[in-house]
Amino acid sequence: MALKTVRVPREGMLQSIRREIHALARLRHPGIVPILEEGLEEGVPWYAMELLEGVTLRRFAATATQ
């Protein structure tokens, strides 16, 4: 499982970010890793997803441009 946290740049954006996480959790598609759980801990939104093994997007982009 991968646990991700989301930095909230402004306090007023917290509800917007949580709505986005809820919307993503409802998506079902073979190409989208599903959100398994979500929550709020000490004012920081988080969500849990299946952990996928492989190359990070950063590493993939770095090798694709070489």
Side-chain angles (χ1 to χ4, degrees):
M1 185 171 296
L3 183 63
K4 304 205 176 212
T5 58
V6 181
R7 286 191 215 150
V8 181
R10 293 186 309 271
E11 191 169 325
M13 295 184 71
L14 178 60
Q15 290 306 319
S16 175
I17 289 171
R18 295 212 58 211
R19 276 193 304 273
E20 187 171 334
I21 291 171
H22 288 141
L24 291 171
R26 290 190 300 269
L27 293 177
R28 297 291 180 257
H29 186 276
I32 299 173
V33 180
I35 293 177
L36 305 172
E37 291 287 333
E38 62 86 25
L40 188 65
E41 183 68 31
E42 296 182 10
V44 177
W46 61 269
Y47 58 97
M49 308 168 73
E50 177 185 351
L51 177 62
L52 300 179
E53 299 294 330
V55 178
T56 65
L57 180 58
R58 182 175 296 177
R59 180 168 289 161
F60 176 79
T63 58
T65 59
Q66 293 178 0

